[in-house]
Amino acid sequence: VKATAMLKLVEEEHMYENGLLDGMEVPRYIPVQSGEENVLVANGWSFLDPDESEPISSFDIDAANAEGQYKPKWGVVEEEGVNANWEERIHQELQLSDLGFNLRRMESNEIILEAEGISSLSRSVLLEGGTDEPNIKITNNEIDFSGSVSDLDPGIFVCAIGGNPLFTTNDLSPLTGSSGWLSFARPISEKHIEFVYAEKDAFDQRLEVVDSKTGCHLGHYFGADGYCINASALNFFPLNGNEESHWKTATNPVSWNTLRNPMVELSVSERIVKGVLDQNVQSQKVLFGAGCFWHVEYALRRLPGVIDTRVGYAGGTYPNPSYEDVCNKDTSHAEVVEVTFDPSVCEPRRLMDCFLAMHDPTMVRAHGKRAQG
């Protein structure tokens, strides 16, 4: 960087008394002698840029930012051998995480378009590798975490570009209260973040943390001390609130199999994620009658964007019929499947196409292997 040496001010009279500068122009600063550096730092002296007349700080921040700052490689990475797995992911329609979120790599033009809708500070952090000012823990959607975090409402933190869920309030580290930045012990899923290791000769050897979906810069990882994350890179959505103006349908999961599976015991963080999704995802419902609901339900619930399914009966004249009533009596009920789905992921037409591929409405109980008669 530009600041390369420690210098100290030498008074003109002192220099003449010691015979240092007879007939020479008196310099304002001279190099530090061996062993003097700690004393000078303790007394407020600092680095001096060769091209500046006064010492300005203990480190030339502007020069460091310009020459040593990590530059995130967001969007599609074209360099050979650099994050090659991301280049493959961009060509796949779906790349699901263990929680069912689509981590398909966003293209550069998609990222730039979304960046137009966030703050300039957030753009600087996410796209240029910038850093929030210390102790200013305000998210892109203007939620302030500068105070105590012990009594926070549960919620999730998502990337301000792309909407990828990253952390929950349950993942906040005890260090957050004393740190100048948001600190997390763990992410929602290790698949949702990526580490970028510094070049061997880079000035900054910190381990960078980027969003898996975009490659945008989030902060740094410090091992046992956890994740130090810039608040401006995130949007926060509380469990008991609504931030519709900043919610992106890209945050909605593609598969709900993990979050809705009654056989899977969700962690505290996963339950928070599910609760916030229930609060914000604008779902719709539709009933499909196909003569026998088990095969139909099994097929429909596997479609991307299907949140939940229930089986039951519609129409008919018999009140509150059981399965045996419908099978053994003339109740005039139809066996139906209620499908709750996310239209931003699964269009109604896709549901209908799948249903008609299993069912011939011109024949009684014509579905599955019996669809031909």
Side-chain angles (χ1 to χ4, degrees):
V1 296
K2 289 166 58 182
T4 56
M6 182 73 78
L7 299 152
K8 68 175 180 178
L9 177 65
V10 178
E11 298 295 340
E12 179 178 348
E13 293 77 11
H14 171 73
M15 298 182 72
Y16 275 112
E17 288 173 3
N18 289 277
L20 296 175
L21 298 169
D22 286 339
M24 297 177 62
E25 182 179 352
V26 180
R28 300 186 64 188
Y29 296 88
I30 64 172
V32 171
Q33 301 299 313
S34 176
E36 291 185 326
E37 180 173 335
N38 289 340
V39 175
L40 290 171
V41 171
N43 285 278
W45 291 97
S46 58
F47 286 104
L48 176 70
D49 291 343
D51 59 345
E52 297 176 2
S53 60
E54 298 291 341
I56 56 173
S57 68
S58 60
F59 188 78
D60 191 335
I61 298 299
D62 294 336
N65 285 343
E67 300 177 27
Q69 179 175 295
Y70 165 72
K71 300 296 183 183
K73 298 179 177 63
W74 43 268
V76 180
V77 181
E78 298 179 355
E79 292 88 348
E80 183 177 356
V82 178
N83 297 325
N85 61 315
W86 281 348
E87 296 181 32
E88 296 175 2
R89 287 190 347 219
I90 188 64
H91 299 295
Q92 301 178 11
E93 183 177 356
L94 294 178
Q95 182 69 26
L96 297 185
S97 72
D98 49 345
L99 292 179
F101 293 91
N102 187 14
L103 300 182
R104 180 188 69 85
R105 180 72 173 209
M106 289 178 65
E107 297 188 47
S108 300
N109 61 335
E110 295 177 295
I111 293 173
I112 292 172
L113 183 62
E114 281 205 27
E116 294 177 358
I118 63 177
S119 71
S120 58
L121 175 59
S122 298
R123 285 196 298 271
S124 172
V125 170
L126 288 164
L127 304 186
E128 301 170 18
T131 302
D132 289 347
E133 292 292 330
N135 301 310
I136 307 298
K137 307 173 191 175
I138 302 177
T139 63
N140 174 68
N141 61 336
E142 300 182 344
I143 308 299
D144 191 349
F145 290 90
S146 300
S148 172
V149 297
S150 60
D151 56 352
L152 288 177
D153 288 335
I156 67 172
F157 298 87
V158 308
C159 186
I161 295 178
N164 187 26
L166 300 168
F167 306 96
T168 74
T169 46
N170 184 62
D171 304 315
L172 281 168
S173 165
L175 297 174
T176 292
S178 58
S179 172
W181 294 268
L182 290 177
S183 298
F184 297 93
R186 70 196 71 81
I188 286 175
S189 167
E190 293 183 355
K191 297 291 186 181
H192 287 218
I193 57 98
E194 297 274 356
F195 293 140
V196 178
Y197 294 84
E199 300 290 340
K200 290 183 178 180
D201 58 348
F203 178 82
D204 189 349
Q205 286 293 313
R206 292 176 298 179
L207 188 57
E208 303 289 339
V209 179
V210 301
D211 170 41
S212 291
K213 188 174 179 179
T214 62
C216 290
H217 176 250
L218 300 171
H220 301 91
Y221 178 65
F222 294 102
D225 289 332
Y227 299 79
C228 183
I229 304 297
N230 295 287
S232 67
L234 309 172
N235 284 327
F236 178 73
F237 298 97
L239 180 60
N240 300 315
N242 202 318
E243 290 288 331
E244 287 186 356
S245 60
H246 289 87
W247 184 266
K248 298 180 176 67
T249 56
T251 300
N252 301 358
V254 170
S255 171
W256 290 75
N257 288 341
T258 298
L259 295 174
R260 291 289 191 188
N261 189 342
M263 305 301 293
V264 175
E265 184 176 355
L266 299 179
S267 68
V268 174
S269 294
E270 290 168 348
R271 290 199 298 270
I272 293 174
V273 172
K274 178 178 175 294
V276 174
L277 291 172
D278 289 341
Q279 176 79 19
N280 288 279
V281 174
Q282 302 298 306
S283 63
Q284 297 180 9
K285 294 184 178 182
V286 63
L287 289 177
F288 289 110
C292 179
F293 42 55
W294 299 120
H295 173 78
V296 177
E297 181 194 34
Y298 178 79
L300 292 177
R301 74 183 308 159
R302 295 161 63 92
L303 290 178
V306 170
I307 299 172
D308 202 5
T309 59
R310 293 196 307 165
V311 297
Y313 311 100
T317 58
Y318 193 82
N320 301 318
S322 66
Y323 183 74
E324 290 75 16
D325 290 334
V326 174
C327 291
N328 300 325
K329 299 178 181 179
D330 185 17
T331 67
S332 301
H333 283 90
E335 297 183 23
V336 297
V337 180
E338 179 187 78
V339 179
T340 304
F341 66 101
D342 176 4
S344 71
V345 177
C346 183
E347 296 180 357
R349 180 173 178 176
R350 178 178 294 182
L351 282 173
M352 182 61 70
D353 287 344
C354 183
F355 169 68
L356 292 177
M358 298 181 289
H359 175 65
D360 182 353
T362 66
M363 303 184 68
V364 176
R365 294 185 177 272
H367 60 82
K369 294 181 179 179
R370 300 174 58 182
Q372 299 303 316

